[in-house]
Amino acid sequence: MLPANELFHQILSNLGVGSANSHLFVYAALMLAVMVEGPVAILVGATAASSGFLNPVPVFVAASLGNLFGDLAWYLLGFSGKLEWALKLRFLHLDLRKITFLKQAIAKNAVKILAIAKLTNGLIVPALIATGLARVSLRRWFPIIFITNLVTTGV
């Protein structure tokens, strides 16, 4: 069995990633991996950059774009959802007045909710889906997600 660092070097060598001037497909694959599973993919990219296999600046850009596209996908999932579907499911015992109140609260405090959720790294998915369901405009919440993505990806 190979030690972890030799295994990592062998995997990257098999992918054709041998120098800091790697092909763009590696960075595109990293961006897609960050969209699917953010923190683990970011750690893999950072390890490859610190080992000299990848250039750190494109790794940071790919990780940031992957985070942004992933967040946008969760928002669009909520935006495309219909509350009427959930209201038809009687066993959920949903109250339309409470849902309306929650939508108004999310619409009013979307920037604060998303900033805190992004920095806590566990609540961002339900917050983005709820923001989409509340139909909060992209212009209103995207700048704060962009800034917090830069911070969380860089840290």
Side-chain angles (χ1 to χ4, degrees):
M1 187 159 145
L2 292 173
N5 62 346
E6 289 180 28
L7 179 65
F8 187 71
H9 285 272
Q10 187 172 0
I11 290 171
L12 289 177
S13 297
N14 290 342
L15 289 174
V17 182
S19 68
N21 298 322
S22 299
H23 299 287
L24 289 177
F25 81 91
V26 175
Y27 299 109
L30 177 64
M31 184 180 75
L32 290 173
V34 170
M35 281 178 63
V36 173
E37 176 48 49
V40 173
I42 291 172
L43 286 174
V44 169
T47 304
S50 67
S51 298
F53 283 101
L54 297 175
N55 191 340
V57 174
V59 166
F60 178 76
V61 170
S64 295
L65 287 175
N67 267 333
L68 284 173
F69 289 144
D71 290 347
L72 185 61
W74 286 118
Y75 169 79
L76 290 174
L77 177 69
F79 195 83
S80 66
K82 306 268 189 252
L83 280 176
E84 293 79 28
W85 298 342
L87 290 173
K88 290 180 184 177
L89 304 173
R90 301 268 185 215
F91 66 91
L92 291 177
H93 303 291
L94 296 175
D95 184 7
L96 190 57
R97 289 177 297 143
K98 290 180 183 177
I99 292 173
T100 304
F101 175 75
L102 277 172
K103 283 175 68 173
Q104 291 171 349
I106 289 170
K108 180 181 175 187
N109 301 305
V111 173
K112 292 184 266 186
I113 291 170
L114 290 174
I116 292 169
K118 190 66 179 176
L119 294 174
T120 57
N121 201 26
L123 303 172
I124 190 63
V125 172
L128 283 165
I129 292 172
T131 303
L133 282 170
R135 304 289 195 261
V136 178
S137 78
L138 191 65
R139 273 185 283 153
R140 188 152 165 244
W141 64 265
F142 189 78
I144 194 69
I145 288 294
F146 181 78
I147 292 167
T148 54
N149 266 329
L150 292 177
V151 170
T152 58
T153 304
V155 174

